[in-house]
Amino acid sequence: MQIEPTSLPGVVILTPARHGDARGFFSESWNRQRMAAAGFDIDFVQDNHSVSARAGTLRGLHYQSPPHAQAKLVRCGRGCLWDVAVDVRVGSPGYGQWVGVELSAANGRQLLIPAGFLHGFVTREDDTEIVYKCSDYYAPDCDGAVAWDSVGIDWGLTSAPVLSAKDAAAVPLAEFRSPFVSEARP
């Protein structure tokens, strides 16, 4: 597993080794023991699978607040997407900063996003599938969203995105009262 840090501490790009032949390939997308040895000790408890029919579908920026905050391991099963994490940990030197990475079925990259970050993505191809692991179960009363266009993210859009009603009505980052606190010490 190749582990590549990003500009936001804790958010990393993981690229699993692929073992291929004429039939295709095999890849180990997560190994808890090996990743714990590398400093990422996360107990994933739920897997999610989402399909977006149209390119330009934007989902996010989502979070789940404590006590059910979630770390996520995101990958693309089919197609291509631009995946984004935004630091919203109060007291973090990176508060409000974002990082984005292209995830595709072809490149096999994954984005590991700790709790305390918003998550969102926009699809680059029709029928794009996103598959992600979560470190806590979905809790509707802890579910929330921040406006996708309030953080200064370069989504690479050439037209208006396809949004859910929830995402279209989300509060801007400037009005968001984050429930997350940075563990960084001055």
Side-chain angles (χ1 to χ4, degrees), residues 51 75-81 104-105 125-131:
V51 177
R75 66 186 172 91
C76 181
R78 178 176 53 175
C80 183
L81 59 98
S104 69
E125 297 177 8
D126 290 347
D127 298 317
T128 291
E129 295 184 17
I130 183 173
V131 182

Side-chain angles (χ1 to χ4, degrees), residues 2-181:
Q2 178 184 341
I3 302 171
E4 179 184 344
T6 69
S7 60
L8 295 177
V11 179
V12 295
I13 300 166
L14 304 178
T15 307
R18 286 185 170 180
H19 308 281
D21 59 24
R23 300 168 297 166
F25 72 85
F26 170 83
S27 178
E28 185 176 88
S29 62
W30 180 260
N31 181 307
R32 184 174 180 195
Q33 185 177 24
R34 288 186 189 141
M35 293 305 295
F40 301 95
D41 192 13
I42 303 170
D43 183 19
F44 289 115
V45 299
Q46 181 174 314
D47 277 6
N48 298 326
H49 186 165
S50 168
V51 177
S52 295
R54 291 182 41 208
T57 298
L58 196 148
R59 298 177 189 252
L61 297 161
H62 299 156
Y63 67 92
Q64 194 163 284
S65 63
H68 297 289
Q70 297 175 326
K72 294 178 180 178
L73 177 63
V74 184
R75 66 186 172 91
C76 181
R78 178 176 53 175
C80 183
L81 59 98
W82 177 247
D83 204 53
V84 175
V86 181
D87 188 348
V88 290
R89 298 168 299 158
V90 174
S92 167
Y95 186 89
Q97 294 178 21
W98 63 273
V99 65
V101 62
E102 184 174 276
L103 306 180
S104 69
N107 72 23
R109 298 172 100 190
Q110 304 177 114
L111 192 62
L112 181 62
I113 306 168
F117 288 76
L118 304 174
H119 173 245
F121 65 90
V122 64
T123 58
R124 299 282 192 236
E125 297 177 8
D126 290 347
D127 298 317
T128 291
E129 295 184 17
I130 183 173
V131 182
Y132 59 102
K133 298 180 175 308
C134 298
S135 64
D136 204 332
Y137 301 102
Y138 174 71
D141 57 323
C142 295
D143 184 48
V146 169
W148 65 276
D149 58 352
S150 67
V151 182
I153 297 167
D154 180 2
W155 294 99
L157 293 165
T158 57
S159 60
V162 178
L163 298 172
S164 69
K166 170 187 161 182
D167 291 343
V171 300
L173 183 64
E175 296 175 19
F176 175 59
R177 300 298 166 240
S178 180
F180 305 102
V181 178

